[in-house]
């Protein structure tokens, strides 16, 4: 049975839920989530949402800070658009019932914290679990809305396009989607399709992201003919808890914003040697400084110390982190905790305009899966949830201007064909390739890169893509196979983008090109799909 809907939303985080709620009163919405609805990156976002809310702050200051953090690659029009719509989206969340933390020193006001790259306190938060508060608040609204149909434990396989069906007019018609519980692929037909599927940080061995962050939206859009941009800029969060069982539990940047110090194993501080802003420097600088010191000393980690603050202050402001650290034997109030960088945020993605519209008619991309031009070469802390909210609003307004309905009935979308495939008897191939991919990406395409490392990575990813393509063509699809296929493709795009940038800028640092090249106007790395059997074949375009 094929499912028809006005709007298909792929992804259940802040971006997807916000857009669904903004359209649901007037359109039928089908929202698919790879796991249970809340199991995405939004749930784990700790810090907050950056917006101009304080009397001493200004739009111009937020814009300037974002442009500086982006290392010359932010689109100023996009930055201004996003910042200008920040406060109204915070009010929208508050109207939905989200309880942001109040300021005890100023009754009736919200508490604003400061994070790396910000010149003012402008990060509104719900203690240290803002993402969880946003996700659960919006989830509650979505679950009770009569026009939203939820499909949890579903993973999109590929987009359905007019070109793939041999039609003259190429537009997105929906998606093939694997029902993970029933183990069958279903057709979702849609007038408008929205990719809100998050980033691709699981391409790295160590990441703060949940297992769902496998670049699915980016890979599907690429296969459908959409351009991607700035895939070389992968943000590594400087401070994740270093513990064999913590799975890179993120330690919020707000701890450094409230005075936390990074220290070496002997207790010495070091950030002042790398940047005058110390611990409040942008994330790329802090992550590279930690990486440098760990390699220089042969250390497994560095340490983050906020124990000089009153114990009650720490427990009140960071209850989630405090409790989680206790579970692993560390008391924030008593001494430093071990931390390491981990892959955290994909700054590149599917190229879109100010409405979230992609190159393909009927297809939008919002949130981390999209490249809007907001982040440039480095995302400033807490601008990500802001982007989710603002572009969900923008896309919803643009969709309202379109005909959010299915194509005419004469468009025949064939069901998924499994007549020539069998069940796999070699799942070990998927597991092995998954491990190999994430390890060589960490070793060769991580915080610090070189031409030789990138060449090695490119050679390995092409071999993997060839193996995966053969495997995909012969066996029934599974969740693990789909994620591996998408991750390998995205890895190839990251490598291709990194190889084309002959400088070090923002999150991309190449020891063979250690300086930032300002002799020409800075450019985005835009990859254009070409007609080739190679899944990552692309033409690099400078913009």
């Amino acid at each position: 049975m094929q499912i028809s809907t006005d709007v298909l939303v792929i992804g259940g985080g802040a971006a997807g839920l916000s857009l669904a709620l903004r359209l649901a009163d007037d359109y039928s919405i089908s929202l698919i989530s790879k796991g249970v609805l809340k199991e995405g990156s939004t749930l784990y976002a700790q810090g907050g949402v950056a917006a101009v809310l304080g009397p001493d702050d200004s739009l111009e200051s937020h814009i300037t800070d974002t442009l500086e953090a982006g290392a010359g690659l932010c689109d100023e029009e996009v930055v201004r658009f996003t910042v200008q719509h920040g406060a109204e989206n915070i009010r929208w969340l508050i109207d939905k019932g989200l309880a942001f933390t109040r300021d005890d020193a100023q009754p009736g006001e919200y508490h604003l914290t400061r994070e790396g790259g910000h010149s003012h306190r402008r990060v509104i938060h719900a203690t240290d679990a803002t993402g969880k508060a946003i996700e659960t608040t919006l989830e509650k609204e979505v679950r009770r809305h009569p026009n939203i149909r939820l499909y949890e434990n579903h993973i999109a396989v590929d987009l359905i396009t007019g070109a793939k069906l041999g039609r003259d007019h190429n537009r997105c018609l929906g998606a093939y989607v694997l029902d993970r519980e029933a183990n069958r692929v279903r057709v979702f037909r849609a007038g408008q399709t929205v990719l809100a599927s998050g980033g691709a940080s699981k391409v790295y061995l160590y990441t703060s992201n949940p297992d769902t962050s496998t670049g699915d939206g980016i890979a599907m859009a690429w296969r459908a003919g959409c351009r991607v941009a700035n895939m070389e800029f992968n943000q590594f969060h400087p401070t994740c808890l270093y513990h064999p069982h913590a799975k890179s539990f993120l330690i919020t940047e707000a701890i450094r914003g409230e005075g936390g110090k990074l220290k070496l194993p002997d207790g010495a501080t070091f950030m002042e040697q790398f940047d005058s802003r110390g611990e409040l420097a942008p994330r790329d600088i802090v992550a590279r400084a930690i990486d440098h010191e760990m390699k220089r000393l042969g250390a497994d980690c560095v340490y983050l110390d906020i124990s000089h603050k009153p114990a009650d202050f720490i427990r009140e402001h960071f209850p989630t982190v405090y409790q989680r650290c206790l579970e692993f034997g560390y008391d924030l109030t008593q001494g430093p905790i071990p931390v390491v960088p981990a892959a955290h945020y994909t700054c590149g993605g599917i190229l879109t305009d100010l409405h979230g519209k992609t190159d393909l008619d009927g297809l939008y991309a919002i949130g981390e899966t999209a490249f809007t031009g907001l982040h440039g070469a480095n995302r400033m802390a807490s601008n990500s949830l802001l982007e989710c909210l603002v572009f969900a609003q923008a896309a919803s307004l643009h969709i309202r201007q379109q005909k959010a309905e299915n194509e005419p009935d004469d468009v025949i979308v064939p069901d998924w064909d499994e007549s020539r495939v069998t069940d796999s008897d070699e799942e070990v191939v998927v597991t092995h390739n998954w491990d190999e991919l994430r390890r060589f990406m960490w070793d060769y395409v991580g915080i610090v890169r070189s031409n030789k490392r990138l060449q090695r990575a490119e050679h390995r990813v092409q071999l993997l893509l060839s193996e995966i393509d053969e495997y995909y063509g012969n066996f029934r699809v599974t969740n693990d196979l789909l994620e591996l296929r998408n991750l390998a493709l995205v890895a190839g795009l990251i490598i291709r983008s990194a190889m084309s940038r002959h400088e070090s800028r923002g999150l991309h640092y190449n020891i063979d090109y250690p300086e930032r090249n300002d002799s020409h106007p800075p450019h985005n790395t835009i990859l254009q799909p070409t007609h080739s059997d190679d899944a990552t074949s692309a033409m690099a375009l400078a913009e």
Side-chain angles (χ1 to χ4, degrees):
M1 181 182 70
Q2 299 193 1
I3 297 168
S4 294
T5 186
D6 291 333
V7 181
L8 172 63
V9 181
I10 300 175
L17 296 180
S18 298
L19 179 131
L21 288 171
R22 287 183 178 277
L23 291 173
D25 287 347
D26 302 300
Y27 302 101
S28 63
I29 310 292
S30 291
L31 191 150
I32 72 170
S33 173
K34 195 188 294 189
V36 294
L37 186 57
K38 66 178 64 174
E39 195 54 40
S41 291
T42 296
L43 186 78
Y44 299 97
Q46 296 175 358
V49 188
V52 177
L53 303 168
D56 299 329
D57 201 0
S58 69
L59 296 176
E60 292 303 322
S61 176
H62 191 177
I63 291 167
T64 299
D65 290 345
T66 301
L67 293 174
E68 182 175 343
L73 279 187
C74 297
D75 184 322
E76 186 168 353
E77 179 187 8
V78 174
V79 173
R80 187 171 297 277
F81 173 83
T82 306
V83 170
Q84 286 176 338
H85 289 84
E88 65 190 84
N89 276 277
I90 296 299
R91 288 193 293 271
W92 183 79
L93 286 176
I94 293 171
D95 290 343
K96 293 294 180 188
L98 201 149
F100 287 110
T101 299
R102 296 284 185 172
D103 191 341
D104 293 338
Q106 301 182 67
E109 300 295 325
Y110 290 103
H111 183 267
L112 303 176
T113 192
R114 183 181 171 193
E115 296 182 349
H118 293 276
S119 58
H120 291 81
R121 285 181 172 268
R122 66 167 66 99
V123 179
I124 190 168
H125 60 100
T127 61
D128 61 347
T130 309
K132 182 178 181 180
I134 291 174
E135 181 75 17
T136 53
T137 298
L138 297 181
E139 178 190 9
K140 187 183 300 182
E141 291 285 307
V142 162
R143 286 194 182 280
R144 65 190 183 194
H145 201 292
N147 285 349
I148 301 177
R149 296 189 66 183
L150 293 177
Y151 296 88
E152 297 176 279
N153 294 304
H154 283 63
I155 178 173
V157 178
D158 257 326
L159 297 172
I160 302 168
T161 66
K164 291 178 181 178
L165 299 182
R167 294 181 62 85
D168 293 334
H169 177 49
N170 188 29
R171 75 181 312 275
C172 187
L173 305 171
Y176 288 109
V177 179
L178 173 66
D179 181 338
R180 295 172 60 188
E181 294 179 344
N183 196 31
R184 61 171 178 162
V185 177
R186 308 170 77 173
V187 173
F188 282 71
R189 296 175 53 140
Q192 309 292 334
T193 300
V194 183
L195 295 170
S197 49
S201 286
K202 285 296 286 187
V203 77
Y204 289 103
L205 185 61
Y206 302 111
T207 175
S208 65
N209 285 198
D211 291 342
T212 54
S213 298
T214 52
D216 304 329
I218 298 170
M220 288 190 295
W222 175 263
R223 289 193 291 264
C226 295
R227 291 171 295 167
V228 301
N230 285 12
M231 292 299 295
E232 70 269 35
F233 296 120
N234 303 277
Q235 187 174 77
F236 290 80
H237 197 288
T239 54
C240 289
L241 185 64
Y242 178 70
H243 188 280
H245 304 300
K247 289 195 72 175
S248 297
F249 174 70
L250 186 147
I251 305 298
T252 175
E253 188 158 336
I255 286 183
R256 284 178 283 130
E258 295 294 344
K261 290 290 185 181
L262 287 166
K263 296 182 177 180
L264 300 176
D266 64 1
T269 60
F270 61 91
M271 273 309 304
E272 62 274 8
Q273 301 172 30
F274 293 88
D275 194 282
S276 60
R277 291 164 290 186
E279 279 74 9
L280 288 177
R283 287 177 175 174
D284 61 320
I285 295 173
V286 179
R288 273 201 307 276
I290 294 173
D291 182 73
H292 177 273
E293 291 300 307
M294 287 172 57
K295 288 177 178 174
R296 181 178 70 86
L297 297 172
D300 292 328
C301 63
V302 296
Y303 294 85
L304 180 61
D305 191 0
I306 196 174
S307 61
H308 53 278
K309 288 282 190 177
D312 288 344
F313 174 90
I314 295 171
R315 284 190 287 262
E316 178 184 349
H317 283 76
F318 309 110
T320 304
V321 175
Y322 172 74
Q323 186 58 45
R324 187 67 169 156
C325 286
L326 278 183
E327 294 173 9
F328 293 105
Y330 302 112
D331 188 337
L332 279 175
T333 68
Q334 297 299 311
I337 60 172
V339 293
V340 293
H344 183 59
Y345 192 85
T346 306
C347 286
I350 307 159
L351 194 67
T352 73
D353 63 12
L354 279 175
H355 309 294
K357 192 175 182 303
T358 72
D359 293 330
L360 183 62
D361 284 347
L363 180 67
Y364 296 79
I366 55 175
E368 192 177 354
T369 200
F371 169 80
T372 62
L374 172 64
H375 305 305
N378 181 27
R379 177 181 72 91
M380 190 166 69
S382 291
N383 269 354
S384 53
L385 288 173
L386 173 67
E387 182 184 38
C388 288
L389 298 167
V390 169
F391 279 87
Q393 178 189 34
S396 70
L397 292 172
H398 195 264
I399 287 173
R400 287 183 177 279
Q401 298 169 9
Q402 314 305 308
K403 288 183 65 179
E405 59 185 27
N406 290 311
E407 286 285 285
D409 291 337
D410 64 347
V411 176
I412 299 174
V413 178
D415 290 330
W416 186 254
D417 183 7
E418 291 188 331
S419 61
R420 290 172 292 179
V421 296
T422 61
D423 290 326
S424 171
D425 58 358
E426 295 183 339
E427 285 294 324
V428 67
V429 174
V430 175
T431 303
H432 174 79
N433 286 355
W434 174 278
D435 291 340
E436 181 184 351
L437 173 70
R438 297 179 67 215
R439 188 169 294 279
F440 75 64
M441 286 297 290
W442 181 264
D443 289 340
Y444 300 147
V445 201
I447 297 173
V448 177
R449 302 159 181 179
S450 71
N451 290 345
K452 184 172 288 187
R453 293 173 192 171
L454 292 174
Q455 290 166 2
R456 288 171 177 164
E458 183 186 37
H459 176 68
R460 281 160 174 76
V461 82
Q462 293 303 328
L463 291 175
L464 281 184
L465 283 167
S466 177
E467 286 185 17
I468 293 166
D469 186 57
E470 180 183 3
Y471 193 95
Y472 182 82
N474 287 292
F475 299 110
R476 288 191 176 88
V477 296
T478 64
N479 183 84
D480 290 348
L481 174 59
L482 293 175
E483 290 185 330
L484 174 64
R485 179 183 183 229
N486 292 333
L487 268 185
L489 193 155
V490 170
L493 297 175
I494 292 171
I495 296 164
R496 187 74 56 87
S497 298
M499 294 179 74
S500 70
R501 184 167 293 280
H502 296 168
E503 64 167 347
S504 289
R505 181 183 294 270
L507 298 167
H508 172 74
Y509 187 82
N510 186 330
I511 58 177
D512 291 310
Y513 304 106
E515 302 299 323
R516 179 167 144 173
N517 185 356
D518 287 321
S519 63
H520 58 77
H523 66 276
N524 294 315
T525 304
I526 298 176
L527 299 182
Q528 171 76 54
T530 60
H531 298 290
S532 169
D533 292 334
D534 177 1
T536 58
S537 285
M539 176 172 58
L541 307 170
E543 181 182 83

